[in-house]
Amino acid sequence: GENVEQHPSTLSVQEGDSAVIKCTYSDSASNYFPWYKQELGKRPQLIIDIRSNVGEKKDQRIAVTLNKTAKHFSLHITETQPEDSAVYFCAASMQAGRRALTFGSGTRLQVQP
Amino acid sequence: GAGVSQSPSNKVTEKGKDVELRCDPISGHTALYWYRQSLGQGLEFLIYFQGNSAPDKSGLPSDRFSAERTGGSVSTLTIQRTQQEDSAVYLCASSSEGGRETQYFGPGTRLLVL
């Protein structure tokens, strides 16, 4: 089955700096890659997603890149703010076959003011 | 509109007892998922319902876990003879269809087995 690895497990940056979180996946059939943000005690919230027919997607300060050949995708947050502090999860799923999301283990991002 | 709701929000039970957790998906969403999140960990897939198709139970950790979805809407996750290792947050999500559609999560049920 699918396996998603996520790095780093923790990340501390200064306010205004950029943050990058990387994930790799094992199943080449995966074609949907969402990123979720989870604040302490709250539910995961989708922040951005990318599908396999696209190499990059951007939404304001957040961007995601996908390299299907290498089977890895990354989340980029620019001009970080204290409210970006949370745990971020990458995930992967397939349109056919097993459709549930396989999640990475999460990255705890701390933005220092 | 209303999002995914779950009940109860918290459940404390004694080892060996059965528990039922409920999920109300977003109206009109045909796909429903259950995940488990242990303290400080990622989300672990449990079971997936899509329309009238047979559910994907491949993530259920043991035969003590079961789930049903009545009328294509509300779902109940049942854990029989609970063990301490079942303590976790149980999250439900729904999407308009399976696969590449966005999954929206409920607030979760925090289960503590004493």
Side-chain angles (χ1 to χ4, degrees):
Chain A
E2 176 65 277
N3 181 51
V4 177
E5 301 279 344
Q6 182 172 347
H7 300 280
S9 57
T10 61
L11 180 59
S12 181
V13 299
Q14 292 293 318
E15 182 177 359
D17 288 349
S18 295
V20 180
I21 302 171
K22 298 182 179 182
C23 290
T24 60
Y25 61 99
S26 61
D27 195 330
S28 57
S30 290
N31 54 16
Y32 174 60
F33 307 93
W35 287 87
Y36 284 84
K37 175 183 180 181
Q38 187 176 32
E39 296 176 357
L40 189 62
K42 302 239 179 118
R43 73 189 76 188
Q45 300 267 15
L46 179 77
I47 55 171
I48 195 167
D49 59 14
I50 191 166
R51 290 169 169 78
S52 58
N53 58 344
V54 176
E56 183 174 359
K57 184 176 179 181
K58 189 174 182 180
D59 182 5
Q60 298 183 349
R61 297 186 297 108
I62 295 173
V64 57
T65 59
L66 171 65
N67 183 328
K68 281 196 64 81
T69 302
K71 289 190 283 189
H72 67 70
F73 56 113
S74 301
L75 177 71
H76 305 252
I77 306 174
T78 58
E79 301 172 25
T80 53
Q81 301 167 3
E83 51 266 37
D84 294 330
S85 297
V87 178
Y88 291 80
F89 293 97
C90 63
S93 73
M94 295 179 273
Q95 185 174 21
R98 177 161 154 163
R99 298 181 177 185
L101 292 169
T102 300
F103 283 86
S105 54
T107 295
R108 182 173 300 278
L109 174 64
Q110 181 68 44
V111 180
Q112 306 288 347
Chain B
V4 178
S5 61
Q6 292 185 244
S7 61
S9 54
N10 290 280
K11 177 70 176 179
V12 181
T13 190
E14 294 179 347
K15 177 182 173 180
K17 295 285 181 67
D18 297 352
V19 295
E20 285 189 353
L21 313 179
R22 176 187 168 107
C23 172
D24 282 272
I26 292 172
S27 178
H29 278 191
T30 59
L32 186 148
Y33 310 78
W34 283 97
Y35 295 90
R36 178 170 70 175
Q37 186 173 30
S38 300
L39 186 63
Q41 301 297 312
L43 286 80
E44 172 192 8
F45 165 69
L46 297 177
I47 188 168
Y48 159 57
F49 297 90
Q50 172 61 57
N52 295 321
S53 302
D56 175 356
K57 304 178 181 180
S58 61
L60 295 178
S62 78
D63 58 9
R64 297 186 295 104
F65 289 72
S66 63
E68 62 178 21
R69 188 178 185 193
T70 54
S73 181
V74 172
S75 178
T76 302
L77 177 70
T78 301
I79 308 173
Q80 296 179 309
R81 306 181 302 282
T82 52
Q83 304 293 313
Q84 289 182 332
E85 60 263 29
D86 298 335
S87 297
V89 176
Y90 290 81
L91 289 157
C92 174
S94 71
S95 67
S96 57
E97 63 178 89
R100 304 193 298 173
E101 297 305 314
T102 300
Q103 293 184 27
Y104 297 90
F105 282 84
T109 293
R110 187 175 301 275
L111 175 66
L112 178 61
V113 182
L114 301 176

